[in-house]
Amino acid sequence: MDKHLSTQFDTELSTVSTRVLEMGGLAESQVNRAVYALTHLNGEVASEVLHDEDRINRMEVEIDGELSTIIARRQPTARDLRLLIAISKTIGNLERVGDEAARIARTVQRLINAGVSSRMRVPIDDLSYESTLATESLRRALDAFARLDVNQALQVLRRDNEIDVEFEGLMRKLVTYMMEDPRTITASIDLVFVAKAIERVGDHAKNLAEQIIYIVKGADIRHTPLDDVESAIK
Amino acid sequence: MNLSLWLAVRALLLAVCGGAGAFFGRRYIDHPDGWIHGAAIGLAALSVTLLLFDTLRMRALARWLVTDTARPAPVHTGPLAELGYRIDRALKAREAMTASEQDRIAQFLSAIEASPNGVLLLNAADRIQWMNRVSAEHFGLDPQRDLEQSITNLVRAPAFVTMMRAGQHREPIVIPVPGGRSLSVQLRPYGDGMKLLLSQDITERERNESMRREFVANVSHELRSPLTVLMGFIETLSDVEMDAAERARIYALMSQQGQRMLSLVTDSLTLAQIEGSSRPRVDTWIDVGGLLERIGSDARAFDQGRHVVTVEAGPPARISGTESELYSAVWNLVSNALRYTPDGGAVSVRWRLEPGGRGEFSVTDTGIGIRREHLPRLTERFYRVDSGRSRETGGTGLGLSIVKHVAQRHGGELRVESEPGKGSTFTLVLPASRIDADAAPTAPPAPAPPAGSRPRR
C-alpha cells in the first residue's frame, strides 16, 4: 500500500517536472524568436511572440495550482519538498523570461514602426552574441534541471559573468554610436533596453541553476560567491 | 554408463544382497523362516545405502543447477546422469539461441546506427529507450545517461511537445535545435504503444532555399528601380513638349538605366551558368599572356584614360580551366578597382607564380579601400558596402560572387586585403594542379594536350 502510494506520488512529481520543462521550452522559444525578430527586423515573428506570451502566464498559474494540490495531499519531505519549492521558484523565473521576450518583441515593433531598416547604422547584429550566450545558458539550465545535473548547473553559474561582460561592452558601444550620430539615439536607447532584457534572461537562467543545486544538494547557494559554492557542494 | 547397464547393476546388487541375506539368515537366525528375515534385512540395508547414495548425488546435481551450470553435470551414472545431461543440453541450446538472437539484435542496432538519419525509440510513456549516435547529436542528448528520460524534458521546442502530446503526426515537423540548426522530425507509432522518432538535419537545405528566395527578391528589387526610372522618362517624353537637347539628355539617362538592367541580367546569367555547369575541364589550356592582353585593352577602353592602368604579364604560363569564366573573374576585379578608385588613381594587374607552383592574379588599386568589418561578407550576393555609391558607378552587386565562384570551381580562392583610404588588393589564387609554367610565351591558343596527360606540377 505504502509503495503504491509513493509510486503514484513519483508519477505526480515527474509529471509536474515535465510540465515545468515544457514551460521552459516555451520560454526558450520565445526568447529565440524575439531575438530572431530583432536581428531580422521581422514584425510578424515579433507579434507571434507577443501572442504566445499569454500561454506562458497561463502555464505558470496552472503549475502553481498543481503544486499546491501535491503539497496539500502528499505533505512531502526532504528532497521531494525541495523539488516542489524549487519548481515554484523556477516557474516564476521562467514567466519573467517570457516577459523579457515580450519586451524585446515590443521593442522590435517600435523599431520597425520608427522606420529602422537593416541598412541603418544601429548595432543590432552586435546583440546577437549576447543573446547567444543568454539563450545557451537558459538551455543548459533547463537541461540540467531535466537531468538534475549539478555540474551542468555549475557551468551555467560560471558563464553568467561572460554575459555581464558582454552587456557592459554593448553599453559602451551604444554610447559611442549615439555620440557619433545623434539620429541613432532613439533606436540606440531601445537597444539598451533590449540588451538589458537579454542580460536578465541570463540572470534567470542563473537562478534556475541555483535551484537545481538546492534540489540535489539541499544547499541554498543564492548570493554566495562562486568559489564558496564549489566548496560548499563538494 | 547407459541406463540398461545401470539397471543390470542394480538388479545384480539386489540379487547379491537378497541372496547373502537369505544365506546368512538361514545359518544364523534361529527360526524356520530365518532365510526370509535375512533376505529382508539384506534388502533393507541395500535400500538405505542406495537411498543415501542417490540423495547425495541429487544434492550434487541440485547444487550444480543452482550455482555452476557452465561445467558439465557432476553425476555420471543412471537416470540422474541422464537428467543432468538433458538439462545441460537444454541449457546450452538455449544459451546458443540467446547468443544468436543477441547477435541479430546487435546487427539490427548497428544497421540503424549506420543510418544517416537520427533514430530514437520511445516507450509508451515517451521515455527514451534507445537512440543512435546521429539522433543523439541532432537533439544534443547523451546516448547512455539520457535513457529513461522523458523526451520532452530534453527536447522542448513547443511544436515538438505538441506533436508528442498528439502521439502521432502524419507530416514531419521542423524544429530548431541548439547551434542554429533545424531538424525535420517525424513520429511513427509501432508495437505496443512504442514510438519511433526519426530526425533529419535540413539546415543546409533550408539555407539554400532561403538564399534562392533572397536572390530572387534582390534581383527583382534591383531591376525595379531602373525600370521605375525608365517608366518615368517614357511618361515625361510622351506628356511634355521639349527641345532636342533636353530630349537627348533624357535618352542618355534612359540608356544608362537600360545598361544597368542589362548588366544585372548578364551578371545573374553568368552566375547561374557558373553554378549550373559542371566543373571546368582540366585538359583545356588557356594562355595567361593572351588573357591579360585582352583584360588590359578592355580596361583601357572602359576607363578612357581616367586612371593609370598597368598590366604586368609576369612569367609565361598556361592555366587549365574555362577561359570565359577566368576572363569574367579577372575582369570583375579590374572593373571593380576602376570603379572604386578616384580619377587619377592607379590600378595594376599582376600575374605571379608562387614557389609552390600556385598562380596568382592580383589586382591592386589606390582606391577608397574597404573597412575590416565588411571583408567577410564582401562576396555575398548584393552585399554592398555603400549601396548608393555602388549603383551610381554601375555595380550590380554580383561581381565578387562571380569571382569567388570561379575561384572555387577551379580549386582556388579569392583573397582580399584592404586598408580604408589607401586601397585594396584582390588576389585570385589558382592551385598548382591547374598551372603549366613551361608554356612558350608566344604560344598561340594552345592545342589541347593528348587525353589522359596531367598538368605538370
Side-chain angles (χ1 to χ4, degrees):
Chain A
M1 189 67 195
D2 191 16
K3 185 157 192 289
H4 173 73
L5 267 181
S6 78
T7 313
Q8 207 178 341
F9 179 36
D10 284 345
T11 314
E12 281 173 22
L13 287 182
S14 99
T15 309
V16 80
S17 299
T18 299
R19 292 272 290 156
V20 172
L21 286 160
E22 185 188 338
M23 181 178 172
L26 193 57
E28 259 181 299
S29 143
Q30 288 285 85
V31 175
N32 285 332
R33 285 191 296 170
V35 171
Y36 176 91
L38 177 75
T39 48
H40 293 74
L41 285 172
N42 186 330
E44 264 173 59
V45 176
S47 37
E48 276 174 33
V49 172
L50 291 174
H51 180 259
D52 282 349
E53 208 231 321
D54 195 43
R55 268 176 73 195
I56 294 196
N57 297 345
R58 274 205 313 273
M59 284 192 87
E60 188 197 7
V61 176
E62 282 167 24
I63 296 173
D64 241 346
E66 284 167 36
L67 288 181
S68 315
T69 315
I70 294 177
I71 292 175
R73 291 212 343 242
R74 307 288 183 190
Q75 303 186 354
T77 53
R79 186 171 161 140
D80 295 338
L81 181 61
R82 291 204 300 274
L83 176 69
L84 293 170
I85 291 176
I87 285 179
S88 167
K89 288 181 181 159
T90 298
I91 55 175
N93 272 303
L94 289 176
E95 192 268 332
R96 264 168 267 157
V97 170
D99 288 348
E100 304 296 349
R103 179 166 304 158
I104 298 172
R106 269 193 292 275
T107 311
V108 172
Q109 286 187 334
R110 199 163 49 233
L111 285 171
I112 292 173
N113 290 338
V116 174
S117 76
S118 49
R119 297 187 185 216
M120 197 167 152
R121 295 212 344 100
V122 179
I124 287 180
D125 283 343
D126 292 330
L127 284 166
S128 52
Y129 182 60
E130 191 200 9
S131 62
T132 310
L133 286 178
T135 50
E136 184 74 355
S137 276
L138 183 60
R139 186 176 66 80
R140 278 166 190 272
L142 287 166
D143 279 354
F145 183 88
R147 295 168 175 147
L148 289 179
D149 181 340
V150 173
N151 285 326
Q152 209 170 2
L154 272 177
Q155 273 180 28
V156 174
L157 296 185
R158 269 185 225 124
R159 298 198 63 180
D160 185 56
N161 196 25
E162 278 178 47
I163 301 178
D164 295 344
V165 170
E166 186 62 25
F167 173 72
E168 276 160 31
L170 270 173
M171 284 304 103
R172 277 197 299 277
K173 201 159 191 173
L174 284 166
V175 168
T176 321
Y177 271 90
M178 288 189 262
M179 290 194 306
E180 268 182 11
D181 184 357
R183 282 172 302 175
T184 63
I185 286 182
T186 321
S188 294
I189 287 179
D190 275 336
L191 291 186
V192 168
F193 286 111
V194 168
K196 185 67 194 169
I198 295 172
E199 190 248 353
R200 293 290 302 158
V201 169
D203 285 348
H204 290 308
K206 184 182 162 207
N207 292 348
L208 238 84
E210 287 169 350
Q211 294 305 323
I212 294 159
I213 292 169
Y214 171 67
I215 298 171
V216 179
K217 297 285 180 182
D220 193 339
I221 51 141
R222 286 174 296 172
H223 319 296
T224 314
L226 198 55
D227 296 337
D228 300 353
V229 171
E230 281 171 31
S231 58
I233 64 168
K234 280 270 157 62
Chain B
M1 202 188 268
N2 63 33
L3 216 53
S4 47
L5 187 60
W6 176 82
L7 264 177
V9 170
R10 292 253 157 152
L12 192 69
L13 271 175
L14 212 67
V16 168
C17 286
F23 173 76
F24 286 109
R26 194 164 165 186
R27 195 135 175 212
Y28 296 107
I29 299 174
D30 192 13
H31 194 275
D33 289 338
W35 65 279
I36 296 178
H37 293 265
I41 292 169
L43 287 177
L46 177 68
S47 312
V48 169
T49 318
L50 284 181
L51 196 66
L52 213 70
F53 181 60
D54 283 351
T55 308
L56 281 176
R57 292 205 307 175
M58 276 202 294
R59 208 189 76 159
L61 188 66
R63 185 173 288 169
W64 166 77
L65 253 180
V66 171
T67 56
D68 192 15
T69 44
R71 279 192 320 203
V75 186
H76 303 294
T77 58
L80 278 178
E82 193 67 20
L83 194 66
Y85 172 68
R86 298 275 161 193
I87 292 175
D88 201 24
R89 225 173 54 174
L91 281 175
K92 290 269 157 50
R94 198 150 69 178
E95 264 168 31
M97 208 163 77
T98 317
S100 89
E101 287 297 315
Q102 268 171 349
D103 258 17
R104 273 163 49 116
I105 292 176
Q107 272 176 16
F108 273 123
L109 288 183
S110 60
I112 305 176
E113 189 70 66
S115 153
N117 293 337
V119 180
L120 192 148
L121 308 183
L122 293 168
N123 70 5
D126 290 344
R127 289 179 184 277
I128 301 170
Q129 302 302 299
W130 185 85
M131 70 187 95
N132 67 358
R133 221 170 302 133
V134 181
S135 182
E137 204 176 294
H138 279 172
F139 293 110
L141 301 174
D142 183 326
Q144 295 308 317
R145 194 173 55 157
D146 290 335
L147 295 182
E148 286 303 321
Q149 180 69 258
S150 183
I151 182 81
T152 52
N153 281 3
L154 292 169
V155 184
R156 295 177 295 263
F160 181 79
V161 176
T162 313
M163 177 178 81
M164 291 308 301
R165 280 266 178 74
Q168 190 180 354
H169 224 273
R170 273 172 211 286
E171 297 296 315
I173 61 163
V174 176
I175 57 166
V177 283
R181 309 193 72 81
S182 13
L183 289 185
S184 164
V185 182
Q186 200 165 15
L187 191 64
R188 294 270 171 179
Y190 77 97
D192 195 9
M194 320 259 264
K195 293 176 200 105
L196 188 64
L197 190 66
L198 301 168
S199 56
Q200 200 182 359
D201 192 328
I202 55 163
T203 317
E204 276 321 299
R205 206 199 301 166
E206 291 226 311
R207 198 172 286 157
N208 286 343
E209 267 168 32
S210 84
M211 255 173 71
R212 210 161 295 146
R213 268 199 305 275
E214 263 174 45
F215 183 67
V216 171
N218 275 324
V219 169
S220 315
H221 176 81
E222 296 285 331
L223 280 176
R224 198 170 56 185
S225 19
L227 259 180
T228 316
V229 178
L230 273 183
M231 295 304 288
F233 282 143
I234 290 171
E235 232 167 76
T236 321
L237 281 175
S238 55
D239 290 355
V240 184
E241 285 289 313
M242 56 184 81
D243 56 28
E246 190 85 344
R247 202 177 291 252
R249 197 182 65 84
I250 286 190
Y251 281 141
L253 286 171
M254 282 174 76
S255 132
Q256 199 186 330
Q257 295 299 327
Q259 197 58 48
R260 221 176 109 186
M261 288 164 65
L262 188 64
S263 44
L264 182 67
V265 172
T266 313
D267 277 0
S268 300
L269 286 176
T270 310
L271 201 53
Q273 198 198 350
I274 291 175
E275 277 182 338
S277 56
S278 52
R279 277 179 76 87
R281 296 166 63 96
V282 288
D283 53 359
T284 313
W285 293 88
I286 304 149
D287 179 42
V288 173
L291 184 73
L292 286 177
E293 222 164 90
R294 259 178 76 196
I295 293 282
S297 63
D298 286 356
R300 284 181 199 104
F302 174 83
D303 192 48
Q304 294 175 341
R306 282 178 293 145
H307 302 95
V308 183
V309 181
T310 48
V311 177
E312 291 173 31
R318 295 187 306 163
I319 306 171
S320 74
T322 313
E323 178 157 22
S324 59
E325 288 184 13
L326 286 169
Y327 171 80
S328 171
V330 180
W331 172 247
N332 266 304
L333 293 180
V334 172
S335 64
N336 270 348
L338 292 173
R339 262 191 222 116
Y340 290 102
T341 306
D343 287 1
V347 171
S348 61
V349 186
R350 246 182 237 111
W351 165 253
R352 290 197 317 140
L353 281 174
E354 286 285 287
R358 289 181 309 175
E360 290 185 354
F361 284 108
S362 62
V363 178
T364 308
D365 62 47
T366 56
I368 54 176
I370 305 158
R371 284 229 304 273
R372 231 186 142 68
E373 68 246 41
H374 296 296
L375 291 181
R377 301 190 58 193
L378 217 51
T379 55
E380 279 176 29
R381 292 160 187 197
F382 298 111
Y383 183 79
R384 286 190 164 112
V385 174
D386 179 347
S387 54
R389 185 182 178 94
S390 159
R391 276 201 206 89
E392 155 195 318
T393 53
T396 58
L398 292 174
L400 288 177
S401 304
I402 295 176
V403 181
K404 191 182 95 177
H405 262 91
V406 171
Q408 283 177 349
R409 281 164 56 80
H410 287 83
E413 55 173 338
L414 173 66
R415 277 199 223 123
V416 188
E417 288 152 38
S418 188
E419 204 174 320
K422 293 214 169 149
S424 320
T425 300
F426 286 78
T427 310
L428 175 62
V429 187
L430 293 166
S433 58
R434 285 191 175 270
I435 308 288
D436 179 5
D438 295 342
T442 51
S453 79
R454 285 177 53 80
R456 248 164 291 165
R457 276 160 198 271

